[in-house]
Amino acid sequence: MAQQEHPAITNFRNYIRIKTVQPDPDYASCTAFLKEQAQALGAEVHVEECVPGKPVVVMTIRGQDPSLPSVLLNSHTDVVPVYPEHWKYDPFSAFKDEKGNIYGRGTQDMKCVGLQYVEALKQLQEAGHKFLRTIHLTFVPDEEIAGGNGMGKFVETDYFKKMNVGFALDEGYANPTEKFNLFYGERSVWWLLVKCPGQPGHGSQFLENTAGQKILKVVTSFLKFRDAEEKRLRDTPGLFLGDVTTVNLTMLKGGVQLNVVPAELTVGFDVRISPKVDLKEFENTIARWCREAGEDVTYEFAEKGHSSDVTCVEDGKNPWWDAFAAACKKEGVSLVKQIFPAGTDSRFLRERGVPALGFSPMNHTLVLLHDHNEYLNEKIYLRGIQIYTSILLAVANLKP
Ligand code: ZN
């Protein structure tokens, strides 16, 4: 006879089946589902719509001393689009194979984490535990489209201020080895366009001051820097992607006809800057590259993040970290501390001075976020709940 499925797994699979997929996520069904979860947990629930149709669902378990700074457990409810033809199973069916692998968009990023918090709290309450500090769970929309209308707006509300958050947990990603990834900062995202104007004219001449000559210099400067950073990452033991700055040429615009030298060419770059870099200095370098490329070369930003804030993860210097780290040690969880290479909602929290750690308890798991055939094994999921019980006990009972 087939073994009966753990109710936490059934619950998780039901969450995966809700199509909160960008660009048109079904947030209404998701909110209804989360309200049921809150009820099962015995938590207060509040829905804050900073932007109509984009709900932030907040669950709250009051602590014994609600005046103390609270603990925030964050997850986003939306997931990235899928190419169903590349999937072995329907990405919203939460199909479970004979090995216990549950396939579905959001199984790793990050519906797992959202419900693991809930399950861990359920278990702790059933075991009779109380918490000194108030615990809030936020389920936010639109993280996968940069979070500006989700966590970005929510942190500006009075409701958020009243939550008096002292410490937050948010997403990380899987690690294929026996270790777990732990993220304490993230890189700043800069998207910029460099415009190279020049002398237009007939394609048969040696014109001077052309857009083509300038854009070549711009591209060379950016890509030389890219090569140097790539080499530094490769040649320096202990460095992770988040410790270096990546540059990619992502757009090229210009030209009207093959025999016409254009009056302007534009090149776009996606730059992800390590928090170890001084942003002002880095912008000065970009300005210099543009000057060196020739007359009137200018740049403008489509996105200019400043995620320089990192959360202290040194022992003995941040009590929240000490509590978190001690709980991980107790659980036999070995952490790889690093900078998140892309963006998460944690940056909005860190910008407001809230220490935030990115942690998704998935070891022995291939990194499949945003990939085809995203899956998570049920044993890893259940083990994650166990890990959270220790972490939540430690941080929610942290003495002032
Ligand atoms: Zn995510």
Side-chain angles (χ1 to χ4, degrees):
M1 204 180 99
Q3 227 187 337
Q4 233 190 344
E5 186 172 81
H6 193 293
I9 297 296
T10 311
N11 205 25
F12 175 47
R13 293 172 72 194
N14 286 338
Y15 191 25
I16 296 298
R17 291 183 185 117
I18 301 169
K19 288 195 176 174
T20 49
V21 57
Q22 294 290 356
D24 186 22
D26 181 2
Y27 286 138
S29 300
C30 183
T31 298
F33 174 83
L34 291 172
K35 282 180 171 170
E36 286 168 22
Q37 299 298 314
Q39 200 174 20
L41 183 59
E44 297 163 34
V45 63
H46 170 83
V47 180
E48 186 86 6
E49 284 206 15
C50 311
V51 177
K54 297 183 183 296
V56 175
V57 179
V58 188
M59 301 181 194
T60 299
I61 296 175
R62 298 277 160 211
Q64 290 165 314
D65 186 351
S67 70
L68 292 176
S70 65
V71 171
L72 173 64
L73 308 175
N74 183 56
S75 66
H76 61 82
T77 55
D78 61 324
V79 299
V80 291
V82 289
Y83 296 92
E85 65 275 22
H86 291 290
W87 284 66
K88 286 197 264 184
Y89 311 102
D90 175 349
F92 299 99
S93 66
F95 178 85
K96 186 167 81 173
D97 71 11
E98 68 287 347
K99 292 181 203 140
N101 294 329
I102 299 158
Y103 285 81
R105 179 56 90 219
T107 49
Q108 293 192 15
D109 181 16
M110 63 172 299
K111 285 178 167 174
C112 49
V113 170
L115 281 194
Q116 280 170 320
Y117 298 144
V118 172
E119 302 293 350
L121 289 169
K122 254 192 243 170
Q123 289 186 10
L124 289 170
Q125 290 192 330
E126 276 161 22
H129 288 284
K130 297 263 187 279
F131 307 106
L132 181 62
R133 294 168 188 267
T134 294
I135 300 172
H136 299 286
L137 297 87
T138 44
F139 294 83
V140 300
D142 280 16
E143 192 277 340
E144 297 294 5
I145 51 169
N149 283 334
M151 185 59 100
K153 283 242 161 50
F154 181 63
V155 293
E156 290 169 5
T157 61
D158 287 338
Y159 196 87
F160 177 78
K161 280 171 203 136
K162 283 198 193 110
M163 284 163 58
N164 185 24
V165 178
F167 171 73
L169 287 178
D170 193 13
E171 67 187 312
Y173 56 75
N175 187 315
T177 75
E178 65 173 294
K179 294 181 186 259
F180 294 77
N181 291 329
L182 186 279
F183 300 93
Y184 60 93
E186 58 189 62
R187 298 193 294 179
S188 301
V189 179
W190 283 11
W191 292 334
L192 68 150
L193 288 168
V194 181
K195 284 191 182 155
C196 304
Q199 175 64 48
H202 199 282
S204 64
Q205 307 296 306
F206 281 122
L207 300 170
E208 282 180 9
N209 188 35
T210 62
Q213 292 165 297
K214 292 176 189 174
I215 204 169
L216 174 64
K217 287 184 185 157
V218 170
V219 169
T220 303
S221 295
F222 274 86
L223 294 194
K224 254 190 177 167
F225 174 75
R226 180 191 194 277
D227 290 348
E229 286 292 279
E230 190 184 19
K231 184 174 185 311
R232 193 161 71 86
L233 174 63
R234 207 178 42 233
D235 297 350
T236 318
L239 273 199
F240 295 97
L241 185 58
D243 297 319
V244 299
T245 299
T246 50
V247 176
N248 280 294
L249 193 167
T250 48
M251 290 189 56
L252 278 172
K253 288 193 283 195
V256 284
Q257 190 170 305
L258 284 168
N259 62 353
V260 174
V261 176
E264 184 172 284
L265 291 171
T266 300
V267 56
F269 298 97
D270 179 335
V271 187
R272 309 291 174 118
I273 309 160
S274 158
K276 289 166 189 168
V277 171
D278 181 320
L279 294 178
K280 189 77 211 118
E281 226 167 83
F282 189 65
E283 188 173 347
N284 288 341
T285 303
I286 290 175
R288 177 167 55 80
W289 290 341
C290 290
R291 270 198 314 276
E292 288 169 355
E295 244 173 82
D296 299 327
V297 174
T298 56
Y299 62 93
E300 64 185 52
F301 288 99
E303 171 80 39
K304 192 184 183 193
H306 49 93
S307 310
S308 319
D309 310 287
V310 294
T311 296
C312 175
V313 288
E314 281 176 65
D315 295 344
K317 291 190 178 168
N318 170 4
W320 294 107
W321 163 253
D322 290 337
F324 179 90
C328 287
K329 198 171 172 198
K330 178 180 162 241
E331 286 293 334
V333 165
S334 163
L335 298 168
V336 185
K337 295 187 247 181
Q338 55 193 302
I339 298 293
F340 203 91
T344 73
D345 280 335
S346 295
R347 72 182 182 282
F348 298 115
L349 297 163
R350 293 194 189 107
E351 274 170 22
R352 271 158 188 79
V354 176
L357 297 176
F359 179 67
S360 297
M362 297 181 283
N363 65 345
H364 296 299
T365 300
L366 291 174
V367 181
L368 292 170
L369 73 168
H370 298 202
D371 205 344
H372 312 313
N373 297 309
E374 180 180 351
Y375 73 82
L376 180 60
N377 188 273
E378 63 180 344
K379 289 200 184 77
I380 300 287
Y381 182 83
L382 294 172
R383 169 93 178 101
I385 295 172
Q386 166 63 33
I387 293 167
Y388 275 126
T389 58
S390 288
I391 292 171
L392 298 183
L393 268 183
V395 295
N397 289 318
L398 178 67
K399 298 231 161 55

